[in-house]
Amino acid sequence: MYALAAAVVLVAAATVNAQTQAPAWGQCGGINWTGATTCVSGSGCVVVNDYYWQCQPGAAAPSTTTAAPTGTATTSTASSPSSTAPANAGPLKFAGINIAGFDFGCNSDGSCTASAAWPPLTKYYGADGEGQMKHFVQDDGFNVFRLPVGWQFLTNNVLGADLNETNWAMYNDLLNACLGTGASCIIDVHNYARWDKGIIGQGGPTDAQFAQLWSQIAAKVASNSKVIFGVMNEPHDVPDIVRWATSVQAAVTAIRKAGATSQLILLPGNNWTSAETFVSNGSADALNKVTNPDGSVTGLIMDVHKYLDSDNSGTNTECVRNNIDNAWAPLATWLRANKRQAFNTETGGGNTASCIQFMCQQVAYQKANADVFLGYVGWAAGNFATGYPLAETPTQSGGKWTDVSLVSSCLSPKANV
């Protein structure tokens, strides 16, 4: 009886101990944190910021558990296999915000109404996108902005037409405002691999029409190293991913031949370019074959998105997971194995406690794996009103800008020093 009772006590103690240990990449401390403060074997508790400490694999000896730190972060000294981050992964290259407005009027079937675009600039009676970007750079430390725009706006609703100079001038005003902050600027064609429901290269616009668009855009900005080319926002339900890679190749070749020989080009996959299914749906392998005209892959970056809500739609204000085990860790393994990099150009959540928790974890993971992840861009500011569920639009009063809680707690680089 005594032996049985003792065994029960030992089992119970072991169970309690397991329950009080945070998992790898889980939170283990920070201001107001009341959860576990020790990590599972093989991970150490690392200070990410005052509010968020994280269990990071390799930050402790494999057979020990490390208590939460009291001040400075620990660092990993162990050598890492290709599936885990090296100790010297370095900092993330980019952190930024989407500045929406020129994509207004665009739907997920690729239909866009040029007249519905709303430039996020006060000269066009929109929000002060220029002021927002200056604030984000100067006060938060952001260094990249994604500037979504509809294909129909750029050609004034005519498929196969040259860039409409009047409309391009308006978009170029936003691009120049972005470049004026010193940040990098992503030109993002926001059409879901379509024009009015027809899929590029698969019954819709031809590869030649797609290449013409990108050739003309690239020719206008080829001399600016701060411009990044976002080939296409969120392709989805594309029947043939290998054929889609051919369309992407046409755009890449057009951009390079237009003189933009060194800038980054972002290669988007299927299923809303989801990071979770980027490998499993064949996008990674198909896009891995896209090259520059000289046969190299220099500057060709995998473009991925990931939201944190229950259905990955980016429409809910509550978040349910950090996406590490289901998306970022498997993708990191593939990227290292294939010597490629990815850029998370669209992510976000509500300004809620759950989204702050999980977004901080996602950002911390990408920071720890900066050898394969270039950075992240939050969705979204610009012309989105503060009432929009995923608004990252700062408010201004008396010359002072104030960020929403998700930005100030997690996305701002100054919140993650």
Side-chain angles (χ1 to χ4, degrees):
M1 179 70 70
Y2 175 79
L4 177 60
V8 170
V9 170
L10 288 172
V11 169
T15 301
V16 170
N17 184 57
Q19 290 174 341
T20 57
Q21 288 183 329
W25 305 113
Q27 187 168 359
C28 55
I31 295 173
N32 297 324
W33 174 248
T34 59
T37 57
T38 61
C39 302
V40 295
S41 178
S43 296
C45 195
V46 176
V47 176
V48 176
N49 59 47
D50 289 344
Y51 290 87
Y52 182 67
W53 303 354
Q54 183 184 55
C55 290
Q56 295 186 7
S63 61
T64 63
T65 300
T66 303
T70 57
T72 58
T74 61
T75 58
S76 173
T77 58
S79 60
S80 304
S82 61
S83 60
T84 57
N88 58 345
L92 286 175
K93 186 172 183 179
F94 297 110
I97 301 290
N98 281 267
I99 305 298
F102 277 105
D103 55 315
F104 285 13
C106 289
N107 303 303
S108 61
D109 64 0
S111 60
C112 296
T113 302
S115 60
W118 187 15
L121 294 168
T122 56
K123 68 182 292 184
Y124 299 117
Y125 308 101
D128 185 7
E130 182 173 13
Q132 291 178 22
M133 289 187 285
K134 288 180 178 178
H135 153 69
F136 283 137
V137 170
Q138 296 168 5
D139 300 331
D140 291 315
F142 288 110
N143 65 352
V144 66
F145 299 103
R146 184 168 177 255
L147 313 177
V149 61
W151 185 349
Q152 285 90 332
F153 179 81
L154 292 173
T155 61
N156 204 31
N157 288 323
V158 181
L159 178 61
D162 291 340
L163 291 178
N164 180 276
E165 290 301 325
T166 299
N167 289 3
W168 171 259
M170 297 171 70
Y171 181 73
N172 196 46
D173 282 342
L174 181 65
L175 179 60
N176 285 332
C178 175
L179 293 169
T181 68
S184 294
C185 308
I186 303 171
I187 298 176
D188 161 51
V189 176
H190 213 76
N191 277 71
Y192 306 90
R194 291 160 166 78
W195 175 292
D196 293 343
K197 301 181 181 181
I199 297 174
I200 299 168
Q202 300 182 48
T206 65
D207 289 351
Q209 290 170 326
F210 190 38
Q212 175 189 0
L213 172 71
W214 274 114
S215 178
Q216 294 188 358
I217 292 173
K220 289 184 176 293
V221 297
S223 62
N224 198 311
S225 63
K226 291 286 190 176
V227 171
I228 299 172
F229 300 99
V231 167
M232 179 56 60
N233 175 69
E234 294 188 346
H236 65 88
D237 300 294
V238 175
D240 188 338
I241 189 59
V242 174
R243 181 63 185 81
W244 169 245
T246 300
S247 299
V248 173
Q249 179 67 74
V252 168
T253 300
I255 291 168
R256 295 300 191 217
K257 289 188 174 181
T261 57
S262 61
Q263 293 95 330
L264 298 182
I265 302 177
L266 308 180
L267 314 181
N270 209 351
N271 193 26
W272 312 89
T273 202
S274 169
E276 184 171 357
T277 60
F278 198 76
V279 176
S280 62
N281 70 22
S283 296
D285 286 341
L287 294 172
N288 201 26
K289 297 178 176 64
V290 175
T291 67
N292 294 308
D294 63 2
S296 73
V297 295
T298 304
L300 304 184
I301 307 299
M302 302 302 176
D303 191 4
V304 293
H305 294 175
K306 198 73 179 80
Y307 285 95
L308 301 90
D309 51 358
S310 59
D311 58 1
N312 192 42
S313 65
T315 60
N316 302 295
T317 57
E318 295 294 336
C319 298
V320 300
R321 67 187 309 166
N322 58 27
N323 297 318
I324 293 168
D325 292 338
N326 59 310
W328 299 116
L331 180 56
T333 298
W334 184 91
L335 291 167
R336 290 194 183 95
N338 290 274
K339 297 180 173 57
R340 301 303 295 266
Q341 293 179 308
F343 193 170
N344 180 16
T345 60
E346 195 175 309
T347 189
N351 294 291
T352 58
S354 64
C355 288
I356 289 172
Q357 175 188 351
F358 291 123
M359 180 63 77
C360 282
Q361 293 173 5
Q362 178 175 284
V363 169
Y365 180 84
Q366 292 181 343
K367 283 185 63 178
N369 291 266
D371 59 313
V372 290
F373 296 122
L374 292 188
Y376 57 87
V377 188
W379 183 270
N383 266 342
F384 278 119
T386 54
Y388 169 60
L390 269 63
E392 293 169 1
T393 309
T395 55
Q396 186 182 34
S397 177
K400 177 180 174 57
W401 291 92
T402 300
D403 287 318
V404 298
S405 58
L406 191 68
V407 170
S408 61
S409 299
C410 296
L411 295 175
S412 168
K414 292 189 177 179
N416 288 286
V417 294

